[in-house]
Amino acid sequence: GAVVSQHPSWVICKSGTSVKIECRSLDFQATTMFWYRQFPKQSLMLMATSNEGSKATYEQGVEKDKFLINHASLTLSTLTVTSAHPEDSSFYICSASTGYIDEQYFGPGTRLTVT
Amino acid sequence: AQTVTQSQPEMSVQEAETVTLSCTYDTSESDYYLFWYKQPPSRQMILVIRQEAYKQQNATENRFSVNFQKAAKSFSLKISDSQLGDAAMYFCAYRMDGGSQGNLIFGKGTKLSVKP
Protein backbone atom coordinates (compact mmCIF):
# COMPACT_ATOMS: atom_id res chain seq x y z
CA GLY A 1 0.00 0.00 0.00
CA ALA A 2 0.82 3.72 0.08
CA VAL A 3 1.98 4.07 -3.50
CA VAL A 4 2.55 7.41 -5.15
CA SER A 5 3.04 7.66 -8.89
CA GLN A 6 4.31 10.46 -11.07
CA HIS A 7 3.79 11.02 -14.74
CA PRO A 8 5.73 11.46 -16.87
CA SER A 9 8.92 9.98 -15.50
CA TRP A 10 10.97 11.91 -18.01
CA VAL A 11 10.09 14.84 -20.27
CA ILE A 12 11.97 17.04 -22.70
CA CYS A 13 10.45 20.33 -23.76
CA LYS A 14 11.52 23.36 -25.69
CA SER A 15 12.28 26.65 -24.04
CA GLY A 16 9.18 28.79 -23.72
CA THR A 17 6.70 25.94 -23.59
CA SER A 18 4.80 24.62 -20.59
CA VAL A 19 4.88 21.15 -19.14
CA LYS A 20 2.56 19.46 -16.65
CA ILE A 21 3.66 16.85 -14.13
CA GLU A 22 1.10 14.69 -12.37
CA CYS A 23 1.38 13.19 -8.89
CA ARG A 24 -1.14 10.56 -7.87
CA SER A 25 -1.74 8.67 -4.65
CA LEU A 26 -2.89 5.28 -5.88
CA ASP A 27 -4.27 3.61 -2.78
CA PHE A 28 -4.92 6.34 -0.25
CA GLN A 29 -6.39 9.79 -0.07
CA ALA A 30 -3.76 12.49 0.19
CA THR A 31 -4.92 15.57 2.00
CA THR A 32 -1.52 17.14 1.58
CA MET A 33 0.99 16.90 -1.23
CA PHE A 34 4.47 18.34 -1.39
CA TRP A 35 6.57 19.26 -4.40
CA TYR A 36 10.34 19.13 -4.20
CA ARG A 37 13.06 20.02 -6.63
CA GLN A 38 16.40 18.25 -6.74
CA PHE A 39 19.37 19.46 -8.76
CA PRO A 40 22.11 16.97 -9.66
CA LYS A 41 24.07 15.77 -6.66
CA GLN A 42 22.09 18.03 -4.36
CA SER A 43 19.41 17.64 -1.76
CA LEU A 44 15.66 17.99 -2.06
CA MET A 45 14.36 21.50 -1.74
CA LEU A 46 10.71 22.04 -0.93
CA MET A 47 8.96 24.14 -3.53
CA ALA A 48 5.40 24.16 -2.27
CA THR A 49 2.82 22.46 -0.11
CA SER A 50 -0.68 21.88 -1.40
CA ASN A 51 -3.80 20.88 0.47
CA GLU A 52 -6.76 19.47 -1.38
CA GLY A 53 -9.17 22.15 -2.45
CA SER A 54 -7.07 25.11 -1.42
CA LYS A 55 -4.28 27.20 -2.87
CA ALA A 56 -0.73 25.95 -2.58
CA THR A 57 1.71 27.50 -0.16
CA TYR A 58 4.98 28.32 -1.88
CA GLU A 59 8.39 28.48 -0.30
CA GLN A 60 10.30 31.72 -0.39
CA GLY A 61 11.97 32.26 -3.72
CA VAL A 62 9.65 29.98 -5.68
CA GLU A 63 7.67 31.83 -8.35
CA LYS A 64 4.06 30.82 -7.96
CA ASP A 65 3.16 32.17 -11.39
CA LYS A 66 5.82 30.02 -12.98
CA PHE A 67 5.21 26.83 -11.02
CA LEU A 68 1.46 26.34 -10.97
CA ILE A 69 0.22 23.75 -8.51
CA ASN A 70 -3.27 22.33 -8.49
CA HIS A 71 -4.58 19.85 -5.94
CA ALA A 72 -8.13 19.41 -7.17
CA SER A 73 -8.79 15.96 -5.71
CA LEU A 74 -7.60 13.80 -2.85
CA THR A 75 -5.60 11.63 -5.22
CA LEU A 76 -4.15 14.06 -7.73
CA SER A 77 -1.88 17.07 -7.67
CA THR A 78 -0.31 18.67 -10.71
CA LEU A 79 2.71 20.89 -11.15
CA THR A 80 2.82 22.97 -14.32
CA VAL A 81 6.07 24.62 -15.27
CA THR A 82 5.07 27.57 -17.43
CA SER A 83 7.33 29.19 -20.01
CA ALA A 84 10.07 26.74 -19.17
CA HIS A 85 13.71 27.74 -19.50
CA PRO A 86 16.87 25.62 -19.42
CA GLU A 87 17.50 26.61 -15.80
CA ASP A 88 14.23 24.87 -14.89
CA SER A 89 15.79 21.57 -15.90
CA SER A 90 15.80 19.47 -12.76
CA PHE A 91 14.36 16.44 -11.02
CA TYR A 92 10.93 17.08 -9.54
CA ILE A 93 9.64 14.85 -6.76
CA CYS A 94 6.26 14.83 -5.09
CA SER A 95 5.24 13.31 -1.79
CA ALA A 96 1.81 12.73 -0.35
CA SER A 97 0.41 12.36 3.12
CA THR A 98 -2.83 11.90 4.96
CA GLY A 99 -3.60 13.10 8.41
CA TYR A 100 -4.48 9.57 9.46
CA ILE A 101 -1.14 8.09 8.57
CA ASP A 102 1.90 9.67 10.12
CA GLU A 103 4.02 9.30 7.04
CA GLN A 104 4.88 10.92 3.75
CA TYR A 105 5.15 8.76 0.67
CA PHE A 106 7.33 9.78 -2.22
CA GLY A 107 6.74 9.46 -5.92
CA PRO A 108 9.50 8.18 -8.20
CA GLY A 109 10.25 11.64 -9.56
CA THR A 110 10.13 13.35 -12.95
CA ARG A 111 13.21 14.42 -14.83
CA LEU A 112 12.58 17.62 -16.78
CA THR A 113 14.98 18.74 -19.47
CA VAL A 114 14.39 22.08 -21.18
CA THR A 115 16.25 22.60 -24.43
CA ALA B 1 14.71 28.29 11.27
CA GLN B 2 15.38 24.61 11.43
CA THR B 3 18.48 23.28 9.68
CA VAL B 4 19.90 19.83 9.07
CA THR B 5 23.61 19.26 8.56
CA GLN B 6 25.32 16.19 7.17
CA SER B 7 29.05 16.75 7.37
CA GLN B 8 30.11 13.69 5.37
CA PRO B 9 29.58 14.18 1.64
CA GLU B 10 30.87 10.67 0.94
CA MET B 11 31.48 7.53 2.94
CA SER B 12 32.76 4.11 2.03
CA VAL B 13 32.34 0.77 3.77
CA GLN B 14 33.47 -2.77 3.13
CA GLU B 15 30.73 -5.29 2.55
CA ALA B 16 29.61 -6.93 5.83
CA GLU B 17 31.19 -4.14 7.88
CA THR B 18 29.48 -1.41 9.88
CA VAL B 19 29.30 2.26 8.97
CA THR B 20 27.89 5.29 10.76
CA LEU B 21 26.52 8.33 8.99
CA SER B 22 26.37 11.59 10.92
CA CYS B 23 23.60 14.15 11.13
CA THR B 24 23.11 17.18 13.32
CA TYR B 25 20.18 19.54 13.36
CA ASP B 26 19.14 22.80 14.85
CA THR B 27 15.71 23.55 16.23
CA SER B 28 14.08 25.35 19.10
CA GLU B 29 11.16 22.94 19.10
CA SER B 30 10.82 20.20 21.70
CA ASP B 31 8.59 17.89 19.69
CA TYR B 32 9.64 16.81 16.23
CA TYR B 33 10.50 13.83 14.07
CA LEU B 34 13.76 12.79 12.50
CA PHE B 35 14.17 10.53 9.50
CA TRP B 36 16.78 8.84 7.41
CA TYR B 37 15.92 8.38 3.75
CA LYS B 38 17.77 6.36 1.16
CA GLN B 39 17.89 7.45 -2.46
CA PRO B 40 19.36 4.78 -4.76
CA PRO B 41 20.32 5.51 -8.37
CA SER B 42 16.66 5.09 -9.35
CA ARG B 43 16.07 8.36 -7.39
CA GLN B 44 13.10 6.84 -5.51
CA MET B 45 13.14 8.09 -1.92
CA ILE B 46 12.88 5.23 0.54
CA LEU B 47 12.27 5.68 4.25
CA VAL B 48 14.94 3.85 6.23
CA ILE B 49 14.09 4.75 9.80
CA ARG B 50 12.30 7.38 11.86
CA GLN B 51 12.62 8.68 15.39
CA GLU B 52 10.14 10.63 17.46
CA ALA B 53 11.91 13.21 19.60
CA TYR B 54 9.83 12.40 22.67
CA LYS B 55 11.08 8.81 22.65
CA GLN B 56 14.32 8.21 24.46
CA GLN B 57 14.79 4.76 23.01
CA ASN B 58 16.76 4.69 19.79
CA ALA B 59 14.86 3.41 16.77
CA THR B 60 15.96 0.17 15.12
CA GLU B 61 14.95 -1.43 11.84
CA ASN B 62 16.76 -4.68 11.16
CA ARG B 63 20.34 -3.73 10.20
CA PHE B 64 19.66 -0.02 10.62
CA SER B 65 19.74 1.78 13.95
CA VAL B 66 20.10 5.33 15.11
CA ASN B 67 21.92 7.07 17.91
CA PHE B 68 19.63 9.90 18.90
CA GLN B 69 21.16 12.46 21.24
CA LYS B 70 18.49 15.09 21.81
CA ALA B 71 20.54 17.43 23.96
CA ALA B 72 23.36 17.39 21.43
CA LYS B 73 20.89 17.56 18.52
CA SER B 74 22.59 14.63 16.90
CA PHE B 75 20.99 11.82 14.92
CA SER B 76 23.42 9.33 13.42
CA LEU B 77 22.57 6.25 11.38
CA LYS B 78 24.40 2.97 11.86
CA ILE B 79 24.26 0.36 9.14
CA SER B 80 25.41 -3.06 10.27
CA ASP B 81 26.46 -5.94 8.03
CA SER B 82 26.57 -3.60 5.03
CA GLN B 83 25.32 -5.01 1.76
CA LEU B 84 25.98 -3.96 -1.83
CA GLY B 85 22.36 -2.85 -2.07
CA ASP B 86 22.94 -0.31 0.67
CA ALA B 87 24.97 1.83 -1.74
CA ALA B 88 22.99 5.04 -2.21
CA MET B 89 22.59 8.63 -1.15
CA TYR B 90 21.37 8.93 2.41
CA PHE B 91 19.47 11.98 3.55
CA CYS B 92 18.76 12.98 7.10
CA ALA B 93 15.51 14.90 7.48
CA TYR B 94 13.66 16.84 10.15
CA ARG B 95 9.95 17.45 10.51
CA MET B 96 8.30 19.59 13.10
CA ASP B 97 5.59 17.84 15.04
CA GLY B 98 2.35 18.66 13.31
CA GLY B 99 1.35 15.44 11.74
CA SER B 100 2.36 14.21 8.35
CA GLN B 101 1.24 17.48 6.83
CA GLY B 102 4.42 19.08 8.05
CA ASN B 103 7.13 19.49 5.45
CA LEU B 104 10.49 17.77 5.64
CA ILE B 105 13.78 19.64 5.85
CA PHE B 106 16.62 17.66 4.34
CA GLY B 107 20.35 17.64 4.86
CA LYS B 108 22.64 17.72 1.85
CA GLY B 109 23.12 13.99 1.89
CA THR B 110 25.90 11.45 2.22
CA LYS B 111 26.86 9.23 -0.66
CA LEU B 112 27.57 5.74 0.63
CA SER B 113 29.68 3.33 -1.38
CA VAL B 114 29.90 -0.35 -0.47
CA LYS B 115 33.01 -2.23 -1.55
CA PRO B 116 32.72 -5.95 -2.27
Side-chain angles (χ1 to χ4, degrees):
Chain A
V3 178
V4 176
S5 69
Q6 280 185 243
H7 177 80
S9 57
W10 181 48
V11 58
I12 301 175
C13 71
K14 292 187 177 181
S15 186
T17 63
S18 295
V19 61
K20 180 185 287 187
I21 302 169
E22 293 184 349
C23 176
R24 293 182 184 272
S25 56
L26 299 185
D27 51 4
F28 67 99
Q29 293 184 326
T31 53
T32 305
M33 286 186 171
F34 304 87
W35 287 95
Y36 296 87
R37 184 173 181 177
Q38 186 179 31
F39 289 108
K41 298 183 179 181
Q42 293 190 23
S43 187
L44 282 74
M45 297 298 294
L46 180 68
M47 298 175 67
T49 302
S50 73
N51 292 296
E52 185 266 338
S54 60
K55 291 183 178 180
T57 301
Y58 291 81
E59 294 298 299
Q60 191 172 11
V62 178
E63 299 175 60
K64 60 181 180 181
D65 294 330
K66 180 173 183 60
F67 299 98
L68 301 179
I69 292 172
N70 183 278
H71 191 169
S73 78
L74 287 171
T75 59
L76 173 65
S77 176
T78 59
L79 167 66
T80 301
V81 183
T82 62
S83 187
H85 291 283
E87 55 265 31
D88 298 324
S89 298
S90 188
F91 195 69
Y92 293 88
I93 304 174
C94 74
S95 71
S97 72
T98 167
Y100 301 102
I101 302 174
D102 192 22
E103 190 56 77
Q104 287 186 28
Y105 301 95
F106 284 84
T110 296
R111 180 178 300 281
L112 170 63
T113 301
V114 184
T115 61
Chain B
Q2 295 87 2
T3 58
V4 177
T5 302
Q6 293 179 249
S7 59
Q8 306 154 316
E10 296 187 20
M11 291 284 284
S12 180
V13 63
Q14 203 72 32
E15 192 176 8
E17 297 294 309
T18 296
V19 64
T20 298
L21 308 184
S22 300
C23 173
T24 58
Y25 59 95
D26 188 25
T27 183
S28 58
E29 302 292 330
S30 58
D31 294 325
Y32 48 87
Y33 293 81
L34 296 165
F35 305 83
W36 278 99
Y37 283 90
K38 171 184 178 181
Q39 188 180 43
S42 68
R43 308 291 290 273
Q44 173 74 58
M45 296 291 284
I46 301 167
L47 177 64
V48 175
I49 200 166
R50 55 177 276 171
Q51 174 82 42
E52 292 89 338
Y54 65 86
K55 291 187 177 179
Q56 293 185 342
Q57 186 172 7
N58 290 323
T60 299
E61 287 290 342
N62 300 314
R63 297 183 295 107
F64 300 88
S65 61
V66 298
N67 183 4
F68 173 48
Q69 301 289 328
K70 191 173 183 179
K73 296 180 181 176
S74 171
F75 183 62
S76 61
L77 174 70
K78 185 172 83 171
I79 306 174
S80 303
D81 185 26
S82 297
Q83 301 176 359
L84 295 177
D86 295 333
M89 282 292 292
Y90 286 81
F91 292 98
C92 178
Y94 164 99
R95 192 189 79 206
M96 198 165 59
D97 187 15
S100 56
Q101 291 91 340
N103 62 281
L104 294 164
I105 299 171
F106 290 91
K108 291 188 175 183
T110 296
K111 183 178 181 180
L112 178 66
S113 301
V114 181
K115 298 179 180 179

